[in-house]
Amino acid sequence: MNETLSVLMNHKSIRKFKEDEVSQQQLASIVAAAQMASSSSNVQAYSVIAVTEPGLKKQLAALAGGQAYVEQCPVFLVWCADLYRLKRVTEQHKPDQTSYEDSTENFIVATIDAALAAQNAAIAAESMGLGIVYIGGIRNNIAEVAELLGLPELVYPVFGMCVGVPDQEPGLRPRLPQAAVLHMNGYDPNQTMEQVKLYDETMSRYLSERTGGERTTPWSEIMAVRLTEPVRLHMKSFLEQKGFLKQ
Amino acid sequence: MNETLSVLMNHKSIRKFKEDEVSQQQLASIVAAAQMASSSSNVQAYSVIAVTEPGLKKQLAALAGGQAYVEQCPVFLVWCADLYRLKRVTEQHKPDQTSYEDSTENFIVATIDAALAAQNAAIAAESMGLGIVYIGGIRNNIAEVAELLGLPELVYPVFGMCVGVPDQEPGLRPRLPQAAVLHMNGYDPNQTMEQVKLYDETMSRYLSERTGGERTTPWSEIMAVRLTEPVRLHMKSFLEQKGFLKQ
């Protein structure tokens, strides 16, 4: 196994950070790595807001549902899908033409661009001994987050990411068996559902070990609870208000 | 710069591959690395179809708009957002409850999960000396691609990815200046638009050098052309038919 594979295979989300700073140079390297990710037709339809101001981090932590590590980490990155730049240059070059920044396709392109860049950033940070955790919680109060960060139309915060020096050493969380997610030459529904049963056993044991036998809920049941919760149903109207997903 | 940063900083999309195989072991390592990416609440809402059958690759190459390298590469990975697994376990555990697999939020979660996993796979492949290119073109005829791969409801192909041994050495493509995508403590529209002007000059020179002075179109103009093209406007209705994005 090469060094890079070792970094990839040892990812654990970090939720407790030391007080050490992330230096300007580290931040620049992390974002430079993010920028080298692939981008659909080179549109580079993403932006990242690095939040270092304590007051701002505190507000974001509250908006994300009271996640203390958002406030505690030295740098909180907010990864945004960004079609604003493209819209502006289109107005400059093609002022009289219809443009499609509101299409579902371009929404997907921008969301993917943000995600690919962010994952490169995560790997870069981890390769330097830093730890990260993705924060989907910033979508809990997404309108307030967007306002706080001054996001213009056609920019939405996809997720946040805490970055800092780890102050904990969590174990690796088992993933689904490979055969549950990898299909050869075509999707096999039975294969994936068979593998879920095996994963349920793995995760029951894992939970039990971590909680001294207190919790053993199988993964599939946790997922069923999650999918029956009305999570962030405001997303569609928020995105439409921001100019996305109209067609 | 550590070895992993070096892999990240040297990414180039590869569109010409040698005939060498990608071994089963390499594929297993690539997908194992993909699986270690973060996933929102551990939902792991993605799947990947590894296409190795020549006839199937040929059909996918045609559907992606005649991209020869889709046929030529030894393994073509189709990364899918997948809420089917979650829907099935929810039907098992909570048969009588309303579930939200059709929410915009869960569509975003699944799309991000697929993208983060894919980017880990890309880095893993590159760390092993393989080359990759993302293929958004599979969304050109997405319904046909989904049918060909037997994708059930609530699974959609986000993008493809050619993997193989590189048979070309393209140069690095310049990215936007870092100040165009990185904002400190809040979004600065003027900063990003100023930086676009600098990038236009960089990319004009880059294009000119690559085409012997034949093409010099600035990036912003290429983007304006792209945004005024009605690209893949079928995405919304396709996704709704597949059970996504209904609320």
Side-chain angles (χ1 to χ4, degrees):
Chain A
M1 189 184 293
N2 66 53
E3 195 179 301
T4 304
L5 283 178
S6 169
V7 171
L8 294 168
M9 294 306 296
N10 282 292
H11 164 71
K12 306 137 210 168
S13 294
I14 297 298
R15 294 184 174 85
K16 192 163 187 286
F17 298 94
K18 295 188 178 165
E19 287 192 8
D20 307 54
E21 289 302 302
V22 170
S23 70
Q24 288 288 349
Q25 202 187 326
Q26 285 175 314
L27 178 61
S29 294
I30 289 168
V31 177
Q35 292 194 260
M36 290 309 295
S38 294
S39 165
S40 178
S41 306
N42 198 29
V43 295
Q44 301 173 72
Y46 67 93
S47 283
V48 56
I49 322 284
V51 180
T52 53
E53 282 180 19
L56 202 47
K57 275 190 293 174
K58 187 172 187 167
Q59 285 175 282
L60 289 169
L63 290 170
Q67 302 192 51
Y69 29 100
V70 172
E71 189 178 348
Q72 195 198 33
C73 67
V75 179
F76 184 64
L77 298 177
V78 181
W79 295 93
C80 302
D82 186 342
L83 294 170
Y84 171 81
R85 251 192 321 263
L86 296 191
K87 172 71 172 166
R88 285 282 300 273
V89 299
T90 303
E91 284 165 355
Q92 288 164 13
H93 289 286
K94 309 265 178 194
D96 304 320
Q97 270 185 253
T98 305
S99 58
Y100 295 92
E101 64 281 354
D102 58 357
S103 73
T104 301
E105 164 68 12
N106 279 324
F107 172 79
I108 291 170
V109 161
T111 302
I112 295 170
D113 269 15
L116 300 187
Q119 186 56 15
N120 261 19
I123 301 305
E126 290 177 342
S127 80
M128 295 189 281
L130 299 170
I132 67 109
V133 61
Y134 280 87
I135 304 292
I138 62 163
R139 298 195 300 273
N140 288 354
N141 295 286
I142 194 165
E144 291 79 0
V145 169
E147 203 186 334
L148 199 59
L149 299 174
L151 304 187
E153 55 163 348
L154 295 165
V155 179
Y156 90 91
V158 184
F159 42 67
M161 181 187 284
C162 301
V163 185
V165 178
D167 195 20
Q168 61 177 185
E169 267 193 74
L172 290 176
R173 180 157 61 177
R175 283 0 189 217
L176 280 163
Q178 187 158 108
V181 301
L182 173 60
H183 303 253
M184 296 306 294
N185 295 301
Y187 195 97
D188 184 342
N190 296 330
Q191 175 184 307
T192 202
M193 298 315 294
E194 280 301 313
Q195 296 291 327
V196 163
K197 289 182 202 162
L198 300 177
Y199 189 53
D200 272 350
E201 292 166 24
T202 306
M203 286 304 281
S204 283
R205 275 198 307 275
Y206 171 78
L207 259 185
S208 176
E209 280 162 20
R210 286 183 69 207
T211 61
E214 216 167 272
R215 286 175 57 205
T216 57
T217 322
W219 179 80
S220 62
E221 195 175 330
I222 297 171
M223 292 301 110
V225 170
R226 193 193 168 287
L227 204 63
T228 50
E229 281 168 356
V231 179
R232 301 172 194 145
L233 296 184
H234 55 263
M235 284 298 290
K236 188 171 197 173
S237 67
F238 168 78
L239 289 167
E240 286 172 355
Q241 276 167 31
K242 275 288 182 189
F244 291 103
L245 277 180
K246 291 187 180 168
Q247 59 177 327
Chain B
M1 187 185 293
N2 65 52
E3 196 179 298
T4 303
L5 283 177
S6 170
V7 170
L8 294 169
M9 294 306 294
N10 281 293
H11 165 69
K12 305 139 211 167
S13 294
I14 297 298
R15 295 183 174 85
K16 192 164 186 288
F17 297 95
K18 295 189 178 165
E19 288 192 7
D20 307 54
E21 290 301 304
V22 170
S23 70
Q24 288 288 350
Q25 201 186 328
Q26 284 176 314
L27 178 60
S29 295
I30 289 168
V31 177
Q35 291 194 261
M36 290 309 296
S38 295
S39 165
S40 178
S41 304
N42 197 29
V43 295
Q44 303 174 70
Y46 67 92
S47 283
V48 56
I49 323 284
V51 180
T52 53
E53 282 180 17
L56 201 48
K57 277 193 291 174
K58 188 173 187 169
Q59 285 175 283
L60 289 168
L63 290 170
Q67 302 192 52
Y69 29 98
V70 172
E71 190 178 347
Q72 196 198 31
C73 67
V75 178
F76 184 64
L77 298 176
V78 180
W79 294 93
C80 301
D82 187 341
L83 295 170
Y84 171 82
R85 251 190 323 259
L86 296 192
K87 173 71 174 165
R88 286 282 302 273
V89 298
T90 304
E91 284 165 354
Q92 289 164 11
H93 289 285
K94 308 265 179 192
D96 304 320
Q97 269 186 257
T98 304
S99 58
Y100 296 90
E101 64 281 354
D102 58 357
S103 74
T104 300
E105 165 67 12
N106 280 324
F107 172 79
I108 292 172
V109 161
T111 302
I112 295 169
D113 269 13
L116 301 186
Q119 187 56 15
N120 261 19
I123 300 307
E126 290 177 343
S127 80
M128 294 189 279
L130 299 171
I132 67 107
V133 61
Y134 280 88
I135 305 292
I138 62 163
R139 299 195 300 275
N140 288 353
N141 294 287
I142 194 165
E144 290 80 0
V145 168
E147 204 186 335
L148 200 57
L149 298 175
L151 304 186
E153 56 163 346
L154 294 165
V155 179
Y156 90 92
V158 183
F159 42 66
M161 181 186 283
C162 301
V163 184
V165 178
D167 194 21
Q168 62 176 184
E169 266 195 76
L172 290 176
R173 180 156 64 177
R175 284 357 192 219
L176 281 163
Q178 186 156 109
V181 301
L182 173 60
H183 303 254
M184 295 305 296
N185 295 301
Y187 194 97
D188 184 342
N190 296 329
Q191 175 184 307
T192 201
M193 298 314 294
E194 280 302 313
Q195 296 291 328
V196 163
K197 290 182 200 162
L198 300 177
Y199 189 54
D200 272 349
E201 292 166 23
T202 306
M203 285 303 281
S204 284
R205 274 198 307 276
Y206 171 77
L207 258 187
S208 176
E209 281 162 20
R210 285 183 69 206
T211 60
E214 218 169 89
R215 287 175 56 204
T216 58
T217 321
W219 178 80
S220 62
E221 198 176 328
I222 296 171
M223 292 300 109
V225 170
R226 195 194 166 287
L227 204 62
T228 52
E229 281 168 356
V231 179
R232 301 171 194 146
L233 296 184
H234 55 263
M235 285 298 291
K236 189 171 195 171
S237 66
F238 168 78
L239 290 167
E240 285 171 356
Q241 276 166 30
K242 275 288 183 188
F244 292 104
L245 277 179
K246 291 188 180 168
Q247 59 177 327

